[in-house]
Amino acid sequence: MASNSNLTAARNARNDEFYTRLEDVEAELLPCAGDFRGRRVLCPCDGPESAFVRFCLGHWDRLGITHLTASQYNPMGPLFGFGRRWEWDGPDDRPEPVELDDEGSVLGVEARRLMDRADIVVTNPPFSILSSIIPRLEEWGGLFSVMGPLPQAKAVSIAPYFLSGRLWLGRRNGSMAFATPDATTPKESCDVMIDGVRHRRFGNIVWYTNLPSTLPREPFRPAAPAPEAPEFLDGAHILECGQVADVPADWDGPVAVPLTFLTRWTPADPGWRLVDMPGQPTVGGRALFARAVIERR
């Protein structure tokens, strides 16, 4: 009989499992085909049916990848089996699953071993552990593009990589719908039916990446007039702007902007740099949503 901890893990895994649509993967990653050429790809949260695996197999020649590995977590492991992996040397391969030596968590020993055999990681990981996954990918040192909620960019384990210029966001960010397993607890306010399949819609879903082809971006050029009654963050002479569009064109000091600024900025921006992502900014004692602090180069 399964232990309570195993059953709880399985239930939590189902409620944190959202299947990405192929069209969303193609929209973000096809323009990055040059980053895949000659490289080995790992999809560490995926089985053969996942959109990421189907993307790689369906565009194998265009991407120019040399090898594909997918691995899948077993939330009932290790008591009831382990995770599994599949490997392809070409798009026409039909690999049988091979059992891993652990349950297959993206944070586990086996996943790290598979990373060491890969050059690039692409996946939609469980959002609840994204703050642990990004440091794992950065420590590994390869290329990656993984999905997650924008608010997690301010996590203490993620923000330093933005500030150091090692991490930025991809091009296709915003509201996205994900297919959900039948066992997922329904949420009427977020669930929609698409082609007869229940999907859950999330706002502010972004691609956390270090793919070089996503760096070139239209430079950020603020155009707003200077505020008549400027507000500043408590304890600092940092101009508060409630919207990115409110950044004054002629302001030379640091500016606090919503995290959505990250969707239109990369470290390659010639005019602006990211200098801070304060934990809980306030203005006049009033708590604000998360902010990024930027200033001119």
Side-chain angles (χ1 to χ4, degrees):
M1 183 174 180
S3 68
N4 287 339
S5 61
N6 284 105
L7 293 173
T8 299
R11 182 172 60 251
N12 290 343
R14 286 194 297 269
N15 284 327
D16 199 24
E17 189 172 10
F18 303 102
Y19 302 134
T20 315
R21 297 188 301 167
L22 179 60
E23 52 261 49
D24 290 328
V25 177
E26 290 177 329
E28 175 65 21
L29 296 182
L30 265 183
C32 305
D35 294 323
F36 287 80
R37 186 159 302 280
R39 292 192 163 104
R40 301 162 296 175
V41 180
L42 171 64
C43 302
C45 304
D46 305 83
E49 73 290 341
S50 93
F52 289 90
V53 170
R54 288 185 286 129
F55 166 75
C56 290
L57 295 177
H59 300 283
W60 188 281
D61 292 335
R62 178 171 174 178
L63 296 173
I65 62 178
T66 61
H67 187 80
L68 171 65
T69 302
S71 62
Q72 193 171 53
Y73 174 60
N74 178 5
M76 296 297 287
L79 191 61
F80 289 92
F82 296 95
R84 299 183 296 173
R85 65 175 168 84
W86 296 259
E87 304 209 27
W88 293 261
D89 288 313
D92 297 324
D93 290 354
R94 296 292 182 268
E96 293 295 324
V98 176
E99 192 171 78
L100 299 172
D101 291 334
D102 61 19
E103 68 273 18
S105 167
V106 66
L107 298 175
V109 173
E110 277 283 85
R112 177 52 200 261
R113 184 179 66 83
L114 295 176
M115 285 183 190
D116 288 340
R117 295 169 42 199
D119 304 299
I120 181 170
V121 167
V122 291
T123 194
N124 173 15
F127 293 166
S128 62
I129 57 173
L130 184 70
S131 61
S132 297
I133 291 172
I134 295 298
R136 164 67 69 97
L137 291 169
E138 290 284 357
E139 185 267 335
W140 162 61
L143 297 176
F144 62 86
S145 185
V146 301
M147 306 176 81
L150 174 61
Q152 292 208 34
K154 65 180 175 59
V156 294
S157 61
I158 296 178
Y161 298 112
F162 279 101
L163 295 171
S164 65
R166 294 170 57 181
L167 176 67
W168 53 92
L169 300 184
R171 290 193 175 94
R172 298 280 182 167
N173 306 298
S175 177
M176 296 187 199
F178 299 84
T180 59
D182 292 338
T184 303
T185 303
K187 186 177 290 187
E188 292 185 7
S189 61
C190 302
D191 291 353
V192 295
M193 297 298 292
I194 300 177
D195 296 330
V197 177
R198 183 160 58 92
H199 287 65
R200 182 155 299 173
R201 186 169 294 282
F202 292 85
N204 284 335
I205 298 299
V206 299
W207 294 81
Y208 290 85
T209 189
N210 63 358
L211 296 184
S213 65
T214 62
L215 269 174
R217 209 73 59 90
E218 183 70 23
F220 176 59
R221 295 189 177 94
E228 295 182 1
E231 292 186 317
F232 298 91
L233 298 191
D234 292 341
H237 193 72
I238 299 174
L239 180 68
E240 157 61 7
C241 288
Q243 301 181 60
V244 175
D246 293 339
V247 177
D250 58 354
W251 191 267
D252 289 329
V255 183
V257 292
L259 287 184
T260 51
F261 173 80
L262 298 176
T263 65
R264 54 193 299 182
W265 173 90
T266 73
D269 190 291
W272 293 81
R273 66 188 186 99
L274 185 66
V275 296
D276 195 12
M277 297 173 74
Q280 183 56 73
T282 59
V283 170
R286 170 174 52 90
L288 304 174
F289 288 111
R291 292 290 188 262
V293 178
I294 60 174
E295 67 179 10
R296 294 185 185 276
R297 293 189 185 276

Tab-separated table of all heavy atoms in Angstrom, residues 166-187:
chain	number	residue	atom	x	y	z
A	166	ARG	N	23.385	37.002	-16.853
A	166	ARG	CA	23.466	35.607	-17.283
A	166	ARG	C	22.103	35.025	-17.634
A	166	ARG	O	22.017	33.922	-18.184
A	166	ARG	CB	24.114	34.763	-16.178
A	166	ARG	CG	25.566	35.112	-15.928
A	166	ARG	CD	26.107	34.446	-14.687
A	166	ARG	NE	25.974	32.992	-14.709
A	166	ARG	CZ	26.370	32.195	-13.720
A	166	ARG	NH1	26.916	32.729	-12.628
A	166	ARG	NH2	26.226	30.890	-13.803
A	167	LEU	N	21.038	35.745	-17.322
A	167	LEU	CA	19.678	35.251	-17.523
A	167	LEU	C	18.810	36.394	-18.021
A	167	LEU	O	18.955	37.534	-17.577
A	167	LEU	CB	19.131	34.710	-16.196
A	167	LEU	CG	17.676	34.224	-16.157
A	167	LEU	CD1	17.502	32.974	-17.016
A	167	LEU	CD2	17.262	33.937	-14.715
A	168	TRP	N	17.907	36.082	-18.940
A	168	TRP	CA	16.944	37.070	-19.422
A	168	TRP	C	15.697	36.321	-19.883
A	168	TRP	O	15.604	35.100	-19.724
A	168	TRP	CB	17.542	37.922	-20.547
A	168	TRP	CG	18.126	37.140	-21.689
A	168	TRP	CD1	17.499	36.748	-22.842
A	168	TRP	CD2	19.476	36.651	-21.791
A	168	TRP	NE1	18.357	36.046	-23.651
A	168	TRP	CE2	19.581	35.978	-23.039
A	168	TRP	CE3	20.598	36.718	-20.966
A	168	TRP	CZ2	20.759	35.370	-23.469
A	168	TRP	CZ3	21.773	36.111	-21.388
A	168	TRP	CH2	21.853	35.450	-22.629
A	169	LEU	N	14.728	37.041	-20.423
A	169	LEU	CA	13.485	36.423	-20.859
A	169	LEU	C	13.449	36.292	-22.371
A	169	LEU	O	14.032	37.094	-23.094
A	169	LEU	CB	12.280	37.241	-20.386
A	169	LEU	CG	12.135	37.423	-18.875
A	169	LEU	CD1	10.840	38.170	-18.564
A	169	LEU	CD2	12.169	36.086	-18.141
A	170	GLY	N	12.734	35.263	-22.827
A	170	GLY	CA	12.570	35.061	-24.258
A	170	GLY	C	11.631	36.090	-24.867
A	170	GLY	O	11.272	37.090	-24.245
A	171	ARG	N	11.193	35.819	-26.088
A	171	ARG	CA	10.409	36.815	-26.824
A	171	ARG	C	8.906	36.634	-26.684
A	171	ARG	O	8.151	37.590	-26.794
A	171	ARG	CB	10.785	36.753	-28.308
A	171	ARG	CG	12.190	37.260	-28.614
A	171	ARG	CD	12.353	37.456	-30.112
A	171	ARG	NE	13.643	38.050	-30.441
A	171	ARG	CZ	14.720	37.366	-30.759
A	171	ARG	NH1	14.665	36.048	-30.768
A	171	ARG	NH2	15.854	37.978	-31.066
A	172	ARG	N	8.434	35.411	-26.488
A	172	ARG	CA	6.996	35.136	-26.458
A	172	ARG	C	6.543	34.982	-25.013
A	172	ARG	O	6.597	33.897	-24.440
A	172	ARG	CB	6.697	33.862	-27.243
A	172	ARG	CG	7.072	33.952	-28.711
A	172	ARG	CD	6.002	34.688	-29.484
A	172	ARG	NE	6.327	34.750	-30.906
A	172	ARG	CZ	5.475	35.098	-31.848
A	172	ARG	NH1	4.235	35.415	-31.513
A	172	ARG	NH2	5.838	35.152	-33.106
A	173	ASN	N	6.106	36.069	-24.418
A	173	ASN	CA	5.725	36.064	-23.013
A	173	ASN	C	4.314	36.615	-22.854
A	173	ASN	O	3.852	37.407	-23.668
A	173	ASN	CB	6.703	36.922	-22.206
A	173	ASN	CG	8.151	36.507	-22.402
A	173	ASN	OD1	8.532	35.395	-22.073
A	173	ASN	ND2	8.970	37.402	-22.959
A	174	GLY	N	3.626	36.196	-21.792
A	174	GLY	CA	2.286	36.712	-21.540
A	174	GLY	C	1.326	35.615	-21.147
A	174	GLY	O	1.709	34.599	-20.562
A	175	SER	N	0.058	35.782	-21.488
A	175	SER	CA	-0.970	34.811	-21.134
A	175	SER	C	-0.843	33.565	-22.003
A	175	SER	O	-0.707	33.660	-23.221
A	175	SER	CB	-2.356	35.437	-21.312
A	175	SER	OG	-3.368	34.500	-21.036
A	176	MET	N	-0.870	32.390	-21.371
A	176	MET	CA	-0.796	31.124	-22.097
A	176	MET	C	-1.744	30.120	-21.464
A	176	MET	O	-2.026	30.177	-20.269
A	176	MET	CB	0.628	30.557	-22.084
A	176	MET	CG	1.658	31.400	-22.796
A	176	MET	SD	3.257	30.551	-22.901
A	176	MET	CE	4.338	31.950	-23.240
A	177	ALA	N	-2.217	29.192	-22.290
A	177	ALA	CA	-3.098	28.127	-21.816
A	177	ALA	C	-2.354	26.802	-21.887
A	177	ALA	O	-1.622	26.538	-22.838
A	177	ALA	CB	-4.368	28.071	-22.658
A	178	PHE	N	-2.559	25.971	-20.863
A	178	PHE	CA	-1.893	24.677	-20.774
A	178	PHE	C	-2.940	23.591	-20.559
A	178	PHE	O	-3.844	23.747	-19.722
A	178	PHE	CB	-0.911	24.649	-19.604
A	178	PHE	CG	0.196	25.667	-19.702
A	178	PHE	CD1	-0.004	26.975	-19.282
A	178	PHE	CD2	1.429	25.319	-20.217
A	178	PHE	CE1	1.008	27.916	-19.367
A	178	PHE	CE2	2.451	26.254	-20.310
A	178	PHE	CZ	2.243	27.555	-19.891
A	179	ALA	N	-2.815	22.486	-21.284
A	179	ALA	CA	-3.698	21.349	-21.049
A	179	ALA	C	-3.425	20.784	-19.662
A	179	ALA	O	-2.284	20.772	-19.193
A	179	ALA	CB	-3.472	20.280	-22.110
A	180	THR	N	-4.478	20.315	-18.990
A	180	THR	CA	-4.339	19.801	-17.630
A	180	THR	C	-4.764	18.340	-17.573
A	180	THR	O	-5.687	17.925	-18.281
A	180	THR	CB	-5.207	20.606	-16.643
A	180	THR	OG1	-6.579	20.517	-17.052
A	180	THR	CG2	-4.795	22.066	-16.617
A	181	PRO	N	-4.107	17.536	-16.736
A	181	PRO	CA	-4.545	16.145	-16.557
A	181	PRO	C	-5.953	16.097	-15.986
A	181	PRO	O	-6.393	17.018	-15.292
A	181	PRO	CB	-3.527	15.583	-15.554
A	181	PRO	CG	-2.370	16.521	-15.585
A	181	PRO	CD	-2.939	17.862	-15.922
A	182	ASP	N	-6.658	15.013	-16.263
A	182	ASP	CA	-8.026	14.874	-15.762
A	182	ASP	C	-8.080	14.932	-14.244
A	182	ASP	O	-9.080	15.361	-13.664
A	182	ASP	CB	-8.632	13.551	-16.244
A	182	ASP	CG	-8.870	13.546	-17.749
A	182	ASP	OD1	-8.978	14.644	-18.333
A	182	ASP	OD2	-8.933	12.448	-18.333
A	183	ALA	N	-6.994	14.495	-13.581
A	183	ALA	CA	-6.996	14.441	-12.117
A	183	ALA	C	-6.721	15.791	-11.467
A	183	ALA	O	-6.810	15.927	-10.253
A	183	ALA	CB	-5.955	13.426	-11.636
A	184	THR	N	-6.391	16.806	-12.274
A	184	THR	CA	-6.100	18.119	-11.707
A	184	THR	C	-7.359	18.731	-11.096
A	184	THR	O	-8.442	18.662	-11.679
A	184	THR	CB	-5.558	19.065	-12.797
A	184	THR	OG1	-4.406	18.478	-13.383
A	184	THR	CG2	-5.186	20.416	-12.207
A	185	THR	N	-7.225	19.318	-9.923
A	185	THR	CA	-8.359	19.975	-9.277
A	185	THR	C	-8.859	21.122	-10.154
A	185	THR	O	-8.091	22.015	-10.499
A	185	THR	CB	-7.949	20.525	-7.904
A	185	THR	OG1	-7.430	19.452	-7.106
A	185	THR	CG2	-9.144	21.156	-7.200
A	186	PRO	N	-10.139	21.117	-10.559
A	186	PRO	CA	-10.651	22.179	-11.445
A	186	PRO	C	-10.582	23.553	-10.782
A	186	PRO	O	-10.649	23.681	-9.564
A	186	PRO	CB	-12.111	21.758	-11.687
A	186	PRO	CG	-12.162	20.308	-11.352
A	186	PRO	CD	-11.156	20.102	-10.264
A	187	LYS	N	-10.446	24.577	-11.610
A	187	LYS	CA	-10.462	25.958	-11.139
A	187	LYS	C	-11.234	26.760	-12.189
A	187	LYS	O	-10.690	27.169	-13.213
A	187	LYS	CB	-9.041	26.490	-10.962
A	187	LYS	CG	-8.974	27.873	-10.343
A	187	LYS	CD	-7.534	28.319	-10.136
A	187	LYS	CE	-6.838	27.538	-9.051
A	187	LYS	NZ	-5.489	28.099	-8.745
